[in-house]
Amino acid sequence: MLTLLSMFYYICLRRRSRSGTRGEALNSRRAVEAGQRSPLPVSVEVEQYAKEVVDFSSHYGSENSMSYTVWNLAGVPNVYPSSGDFTQTAVFRAYGTWWEQCVSTPTPFRRTPRAFHSQDYIELAFEEPVYPTAVEVLETYHPGAIVQIQACSLNPFSQNPTTDVRWEVLWSGQPTKALTPQSRQFSPSIKQLSFPTNLIRLEVNSSLLEYYTELDAVILRGARERPILSLYKMPVIDIVDLSDSEDELPDPGGSFRQAGDSKCNTGNGYFDKLPYELIQLIVSHLTLSDVSRLAQTCKLLHQHCCDPLQYIQLSLQPYWARLSDTSLGYLQGRCSLLQRLNLSWTGNRGALTASGFCSFTKACGQSLVCLELSCCHFLSEACLEVVAQTCAGLQELNLASCDRLQPQAFTHITKLSRLRRLVLYRTKIEQTAMLSILTFCVELQHINLGSCVMIEDFDVVASMLSARCPLLRSLDLWRSRNLTERGLAELASGCRLLEELDLGWCSTLQSNSGCFQHLARKLPRLRKLFLTANRTVCDADIEELAANCTSLQHIDILGTRMVSAASLRKLLQACPKLLLLDVSFCSQIDAHVVQELAALFPNVAIKKSFTQ
């Protein structure tokens, strides 16, 4: 009986849609695009929390604990509806624009689509595939970072995963800043899918936030069967009203192939009268997706869009969901002059293979000076070997969160003797490989070894840095738990040009050894110093910094119990360029002191987190 009623309901709606006006059709179409949740006449809505975190780009926590790690997003809420700074939540590595102001920050890639805002991501697997009707994110501190929610057709728990993996955007928006840091339940309207999913991806941008955003749990609501209304709504969309998204690039490079194979316009209008260089300049301001479409208009513009000068730098990160070996093959003929390449986030789940990457690198990598490969899980030892053999002039290499690369793969980096910037955050590099790299890559200026848990003795690494890298300007040793005052003293004595030093959560450093005061005296050029969660930092350390490091711009002393308001006032007076000071969980610095200091030094962002 229920089935007959459902069929009758569907037939009535179909007849109504056929007799509707164009305005009604457009309204229906907009309703679908706005993601309005459809009533489910026969299906029952399923509610489920994330079962597992399957991938992510960065997190504040360590690899060996649960505090502030993204793994806290799995399961039911730990904190919500409470607000504040809690260790049981998921926290990303950065916030605001502070990190972008550092000397270690690479030059941004041109042609990034305006709608691509993502800086970090998390992928969550749920128990049961459903047709989503809602995604709810429980944000417990400084909400507003989420800029995109996507769904995948792949079941991460399937024993026979499909090779045809599709990602669909359920919702996207711009970076925002909530009016209050209090907790909230973020549940934007999402669009309907044509396939069930149990793999959800959240992409975030924390650049507008005043402090770290914290996420507690994610709820996926949906129906086991495809909602009936999703079947009848689609035919009433007016084809005239359809428009392409400006940021979609289903097949980067494919448009060039189509334009070359098809008949093109020979009448180019006034473009024939423009200088070649002027047209090149115009084309250089377009995104890659726009260039792909422009190449299909006429032979003249196709020639300009395929000119290797348009591909001196190429960022494919915004198109990570659709990039494949075939895409790289189409682009290969145009990248003979390629110098900067960003493949971060691409190729996961088989879309891009190690062989496809190696083929492209061999053909186009001879002139590369910058290669961004963060979170590229397709990478293998063979890939790094090809990079080392082909890209002799490489100066920047980013392998952040390539945590599936085996330790022996990193030995190939030793052949890249001209490296100046090396990011190995959250990789499995071991001490022997790191020492070999420092032996041969003596031009290194920026090194990130944050959360490299396979390095057994950071004192030995610090000693080698002191001996082999006198040009070092920035060093990230975030959560290097076995670094002691001996290694820090050698580092400070040998790397006198250091401007940035992150010693956050290096718990084996003890202030009573005098290591921080020695550091302040030896490194007067310091602009950024993170001593996060070192409980032993004291007034003498702060006063030594005030006396010697007057160029300081960013300093984090979160969690110390021994720093007073008086020493902070001296620091603020001595460092006129100071922009960021984090005193969260400093027991002697209460909210009243923060208010007083903020009034006296209005140009400094003084951070003091809270829990409630």
Side-chain angles (χ1 to χ4, degrees):
M1 183 64 183
L2 184 60
T3 303
L4 291 174
L5 288 174
S6 300
M7 291 178 61
F8 178 74
Y9 181 59
Y10 171 74
I11 292 170
C12 291
L13 289 173
R14 287 278 293 176
R15 288 180 177 175
R16 180 183 177 186
S17 68
R18 288 172 181 168
S19 60
T21 64
R22 183 178 184 276
E24 290 173 344
L26 290 179
N27 288 337
S28 178
R29 185 249 181 179
R30 294 186 182 110
V32 173
E33 286 189 336
Q36 293 180 355
R37 291 176 58 186
S38 304
L40 306 175
V42 293
S43 301
V44 177
E45 189 175 62
V46 177
E47 175 186 302
Q48 50 187 330
Y49 289 94
K51 179 180 180 181
E52 182 181 337
V53 176
V54 295
D55 194 17
F56 62 95
S57 56
S58 78
H59 63 172
Y60 186 91
S62 73
E63 306 301 297
N64 302 318
S65 74
M66 291 297 291
S67 296
Y68 297 120
T69 64
V70 297
W71 298 303
N72 286 317
L73 269 182
V76 299
N78 299 308
V79 173
Y80 188 85
S82 297
S83 301
D85 190 346
F86 290 92
T87 62
Q88 304 96 320
T89 58
V91 184
F92 293 99
R93 182 68 185 84
Y95 70 93
T97 58
W98 315 113
W99 279 256
E100 298 172 5
Q101 299 170 2
C102 297
V103 296
S104 58
T105 303
T107 304
F109 278 79
R110 294 188 294 109
R111 287 181 158 170
T112 301
R114 287 178 297 175
F116 182 76
H117 307 291
S118 305
Q119 297 175 335
D120 278 294
Y121 73 85
I122 301 178
E123 293 181 5
L124 301 164
F126 295 78
E127 181 69 34
E128 183 178 356
V130 294
Y131 292 91
T133 55
V135 176
E136 300 172 4
V137 184
L138 306 183
E139 303 173 277
T140 53
Y141 199 41
H142 287 277
I146 298 173
V147 293
Q148 194 163 91
I149 302 175
Q150 302 187 53
C152 186
S153 61
L154 176 71
N155 185 342
F157 303 122
S158 174
Q159 299 298 320
N160 300 304
T162 178
T163 56
D164 181 22
V165 179
R166 294 174 53 196
W167 285 93
E168 292 288 343
V169 176
L170 295 176
W171 172 87
S172 64
Q174 295 184 353
T176 59
K177 175 185 174 182
L179 298 177
T180 171
Q182 304 295 327
S183 65
R184 73 172 186 181
Q185 181 172 301
F186 179 63
S187 182
S189 297
I190 62 174
K191 81 170 191 178
Q192 292 180 338
L193 292 182
S194 60
F195 57 84
T197 184
N198 63 335
L199 181 57
I200 297 294
R201 177 180 173 117
L202 307 180
E203 296 187 0
V204 303
N205 181 318
S206 304
S207 62
L208 298 184
L209 302 186
E210 295 183 356
Y211 206 59
Y212 297 98
T213 189
E214 299 189 8
L215 311 179
D216 191 17
V218 178
I219 304 170
L220 173 61
R221 300 182 188 275
R224 294 187 177 93
E225 302 295 333
R226 189 174 181 182
I228 287 179
L229 290 189
S230 69
L231 299 176
Y232 85 84
K233 279 188 176 181
M234 299 309 294
V236 303
I237 298 176
D238 192 333
I239 195 68
V240 178
D241 194 53
L242 290 177
S243 60
D244 294 328
S245 168
E246 65 175 5
D247 304 303
E248 285 189 357
L249 187 63
D251 190 2
S255 299
F256 301 121
R257 175 180 61 87
Q258 296 167 7
D261 295 342
S262 59
K263 295 182 179 180
C264 300
N265 265 332
T266 56
N268 302 313
Y270 290 104
F271 276 102
D272 282 327
K273 300 180 181 181
L274 294 177
Y276 191 91
E277 295 79 4
L278 181 56
I279 300 178
Q280 282 286 291
L281 179 61
I282 294 172
V283 175
S284 70
H285 290 281
L286 302 178
T287 65
L288 184 57
S289 54
D290 291 334
V291 172
S292 298
R293 296 188 181 98
L294 186 63
Q296 302 178 67
T297 57
C298 66
K299 287 184 177 179
L300 176 66
L301 293 180
H302 179 266
Q303 179 185 358
H304 283 281
C305 292
C306 295
D307 193 312
L309 289 172
Q310 295 292 336
Y311 301 89
I312 292 178
Q313 59 174 289
L314 182 63
S315 178
L316 297 173
Q317 182 181 7
Y319 313 107
W320 64 266
R322 294 175 173 84
L323 193 72
S324 65
D325 288 348
T326 305
S327 307
L328 288 185
Y330 291 147
L331 290 169
Q332 187 169 300
R334 299 160 186 88
C335 295
S336 58
L337 303 178
L338 186 64
Q339 296 180 13
R340 304 184 71 228
L341 175 63
N342 183 5
L343 287 174
S344 295
W345 301 4
T346 63
N348 300 336
R349 298 186 175 82
L352 185 62
T353 64
S355 60
F357 170 80
C358 290
S359 176
F360 182 83
T361 303
K362 289 176 182 178
C364 309
Q366 291 82 2
S367 302
L368 275 180
V369 295
C370 175
L371 183 57
E372 301 283 336
L373 297 171
S374 66
C375 305
C376 289
H377 300 314
F378 66 85
L379 288 176
S380 64
E381 181 179 358
C383 295
L384 291 194
E385 184 177 8
V386 168
V387 169
Q389 293 172 350
T390 308
C391 312
L394 197 66
Q395 298 178 15
E396 300 181 48
L397 178 62
N398 183 356
L399 297 173
S401 291
C402 292
D403 54 349
R404 301 175 196 179
L405 268 175
Q406 294 306 305
Q408 65 271 15
F410 297 95
T411 58
H412 297 286
I413 299 177
T414 59
K415 300 176 184 177
L416 301 172
S417 59
R418 299 182 62 182
L419 273 182
R420 296 182 181 179
R421 173 174 162 265
L422 179 61
V423 181
L424 297 173
Y425 167 73
R426 288 192 64 243
T427 61
K428 294 179 180 177
I429 188 168
E430 294 179 341
Q431 183 170 311
T432 303
M434 192 64 230
L435 295 178
S436 297
I437 291 171
L438 297 178
T439 300
F440 293 98
C441 303
V442 295
E443 297 182 20
L444 280 167
Q445 297 181 18
H446 308 286
I447 302 177
N448 188 332
L449 296 176
S451 295
C452 290
V453 297
M454 303 287 282
I455 296 179
E456 299 172 355
D457 190 345
F458 270 94
D459 281 350
V460 176
V461 173
S463 178
M464 183 64 78
L465 282 166
S466 174
R468 302 294 296 176
C469 299
L471 301 178
L472 197 64
R473 298 178 62 194
S474 72
L475 178 62
D476 191 331
L477 296 177
W478 177 261
R479 294 188 180 273
S480 303
R481 289 188 175 274
N482 50 21
L483 177 69
T484 69
E485 56 273 8
R486 179 175 64 85
L488 186 58
E490 289 195 49
L491 180 68
S493 298
C495 302
R496 302 295 296 273
L497 299 181
L498 269 174
E499 298 178 42
E500 298 177 22
L501 184 57
D502 193 333
L503 300 173
W505 296 86
C506 295
S507 55
T508 50
L509 293 172
Q510 297 295 313
S511 174
N512 56 17
S513 67
C515 61
F516 298 132
Q517 297 176 49
H518 176 76
L519 176 78
R521 289 190 291 267
K522 291 291 185 179
L523 301 177
R525 299 166 64 100
L526 274 179
R527 296 166 58 184
K528 172 184 174 181
L529 179 62
F530 274 30
L531 301 174
T532 315
N534 191 301
R535 317 298 184 194
T536 68
V537 176
C538 62
D539 282 343
D541 301 322
I542 300 300
E543 291 173 5
E544 199 70 40
L545 287 171
N548 296 279
C549 304
T550 57
S551 297
L552 273 173
Q553 296 180 6
H554 308 143
I555 182 168
D556 185 342
I557 56 170
L558 175 148
T560 182
R561 303 184 181 93
M562 304 172 67
V563 171
S564 67
S567 64
L568 283 184
R569 189 175 287 106
K570 292 180 182 179
L571 180 70
L572 289 162
Q573 290 171 343
C575 301
K577 298 180 181 179
L578 198 63
L579 299 173
L580 173 67
L581 173 61
D582 195 337
V583 294
S584 300
F585 300 107
C586 292
S587 56
Q588 295 190 43
I589 312 299
D590 57 24
H592 179 68
V593 172
V594 170
Q595 289 178 356
E596 287 184 351
L597 294 177
L600 292 172
F601 305 95
N603 295 328
V604 183
I606 304 177
K607 306 299 180 182
K608 177 75 173 178
S609 64
F610 70 89
T611 57
Q612 75 176 36

